[in-house]
Amino acid sequence: MGELASKEQLRMSFIRWAAVAVPGVLLLGFLSGRTVPSGEENGWYAALIKPDFTPPGWAFPVVWSTLYIMLGLAFALVLSARGARLRGLGIALFVAQLAGNLAWTPLFFGAHRVGAAFLLIVAILGLSVLTTIVFGQIRRVAAWLMVPYMAWLCLAGALNWEIGRLNPDAERLVQQPAASQMVR
C-alpha cells in the first residue's frame, strides 16, 4: 500500500481531476458573469467614465475564459498531488480566492459598490499570491499557471480604482429606465 504511483498513474490522476476542475471553474465563472448584466450590456456601467486603458469589451470574455481554464489546470495539479505537504492549505486558499472572484461581478455590476469591489480585488490578489506561493511548494507548474491571473487582477484592480476615481458618485448613479413609446 505504501508504493509510489507510476508516472502513468500520476498522469491519469491529473487528467481525472482536470476533467472536473477545468469545467467546474469555467462554469462557476460563467454563472457569476451571468448573475447580473456586465460590461456594456449593463446600463450603469455603460454610463460610467472609463479610463483610457480599458480593454475592448470583447477582450473580457476571452481573457476570463482563458484564465479560468488555467486556474482549473493549476487546481487539478494540486488536487492530484495526493500526500503533498500543504495540499490542504493550497486547496483552501484556492477556494477562498475563487469565491472572492465569483463575488466581484455581482458586487461591482449588480450592487454598484465600486469601493467595496476594489477592496475585494485587493483581497483576491492577496489570496492569489498566497495560493501561488503554496502551489509552488506542491507543483511548480501550478504556480506558473496562476501568474497571468494575478497580472489580470492587477489590471482589473487598476480599472476598478480608476473608475471609482473618475466617477466619484458611481455608487449613487441610477440607471434611467428606458422611456416607453406608444404609437397611435
Side-chain angles (χ1 to χ4, degrees):
M1 203 62 181
E3 298 175 21
L4 293 176
S6 70
K7 286 186 178 189
E8 183 61 27
Q9 289 170 321
L10 293 173
R11 186 177 7 265
M12 289 308 297
S13 175
F14 166 70
I15 290 171
R16 281 191 299 274
W17 280 114
V20 173
V22 172
V25 171
L26 265 170
L27 177 63
L28 289 171
F30 174 78
L31 292 174
S32 172
R34 291 291 174 217
T35 57
V36 295
S38 58
E40 295 302 322
E41 297 173 4
N42 183 299
W44 170 80
Y45 179 76
L48 296 173
I49 300 167
K50 289 167 223 44
D52 292 337
F53 61 92
T54 302
W58 63 263
F60 289 94
V62 171
V63 170
W64 276 114
S65 296
T66 303
L67 292 174
Y68 284 139
I69 290 168
M70 294 173 76
L71 289 174
L73 290 171
F75 193 43
L77 283 165
V78 171
L79 288 169
S80 68
R82 289 187 52 201
R85 191 178 68 79
L86 301 177
R87 179 178 178 256
L89 177 60
I91 291 169
L93 287 168
F94 182 87
V95 169
Q97 68 78 31
L98 184 62
N101 175 301
L102 299 174
W104 186 88
T105 296
L107 183 63
F108 184 86
F109 288 106
H112 308 163
R113 302 287 313 271
V114 177
F118 176 74
L119 293 176
L120 181 56
I121 284 184
V122 171
I124 297 165
L125 182 58
L127 286 167
S128 297
V129 169
L130 292 174
T131 303
T132 302
I133 290 168
V134 172
F135 276 18
Q137 300 297 310
I138 301 166
R139 296 272 195 262
R140 190 172 302 252
V141 173
W144 281 109
L145 285 166
M146 295 287 293
V147 172
Y149 173 62
M150 291 185 299
W152 187 258
L153 285 174
C154 289
L155 174 65
L159 283 169
N160 193 154
W161 175 266
E162 281 297 297
I163 286 171
R165 189 183 69 75
L166 294 169
N167 302 274
D169 293 330
E171 294 179 7
R172 290 187 291 282
L173 179 67
V174 177
Q175 178 182 342
Q176 298 299 319
S180 65
Q181 298 178 359
M182 294 182 63
V183 179
R184 292 197 174 182

